[in-house]
Amino acid sequence: IVRKFVAGWLAKAGEAASDLPARAFYDDIKQSTKGQEYELPTFSIKAMMDLLSSIIFTVTAYHELVGNVVDYTILPSRAGFRLTEEEPLEIDVQSFCLMQSVSSTTSVRMPALCSPFEKFFSAGGAPAWERKLWENFILNCKAQSAKTARDETERAYDNMLVDDVEFKYFDPELFECSVSL
């Protein structure tokens, strides 16, 4: 879904997909991967599509899964930045307070990814194709969401006699814009 959206965006963007600012953006991120296990390849439209798709997936779907830290930070006996010498199974007061501030400031609901964003796409002189592309993205997300719900219902039904735990993540209609794109 994301790759299709990004591919459509890059195709419609024309020269802007590979102009100097686009290449500078790509090259800056490529430079930051030097020495890592995976280094970005030389710029191409496909490489840009892969990079943007990866970024969008990471800040929406993957962030939903790994960014949900409230369950780990609600008690000082759970997770924190450092342990105490007196009680090695609990975090210290300062660490607990710091984790509470992280949890409280990052747990606020953000706009749903599948929102229309009328004041953003095709607004302020931006091209009209943005709106159509975004609406198609939302339709694709909602179709995937319906498939996810069907699959979860079927999986739960198949495992009714087993001590099962439902999985409530990776449903596109529930994704938030947790990080600005």
Side-chain angles (χ1 to χ4, degrees), residues 25-44:
F25 166 79
Y26 185 88
D27 289 341
D28 281 350
I29 295 180
K30 182 181 187 311
Q31 183 63 32
S32 74
T33 67
K34 293 287 186 199
Q36 295 183 22
E37 182 69 25
Y38 174 77
E39 294 184 11
L40 287 176
T42 304
F43 177 86
S44 68

Side-chain angles (χ1 to χ4, degrees), residues 41-141:
T42 304
F43 177 86
S44 68
I45 292 297
K46 182 188 179 314
M48 178 67 99
M49 180 183 66
D50 290 344
L51 173 64
L52 294 174
S53 297
S54 177
I55 291 170
I56 292 170
F57 173 80
T58 300
V59 302
T60 56
Y62 188 67
H63 188 268
E64 176 200 28
L65 184 62
V66 300
N68 190 2
V69 297
V70 173
D71 294 337
Y72 306 112
T73 61
I74 200 162
L75 296 171
S77 58
R78 302 246 174 126
F81 295 118
R82 61 182 176 217
L83 300 173
T84 64
E85 288 184 20
E86 300 82 33
E87 183 55 59
L89 297 178
E90 291 193 6
I91 58 175
D92 64 7
V93 173
Q94 293 85 355
S95 184
F96 179 68
C97 290
L98 182 57
M99 286 304 298
Q100 292 307 299
S101 67
V102 169
S103 291
S104 64
T105 58
T106 61
S107 297
V108 176
R109 296 281 302 164
M110 301 308 281
L113 179 65
C114 288
S115 298
F117 297 109
E118 288 99 356
K119 294 181 180 178
F120 184 71
F121 294 105
S122 298
W129 59 261
E130 288 183 354
R131 170 66 35 213
K132 182 163 178 46
L133 198 61
W134 184 251
E135 288 171 353
N136 285 337
F137 175 74
I138 291 173
L139 288 174
N140 289 332
C141 284

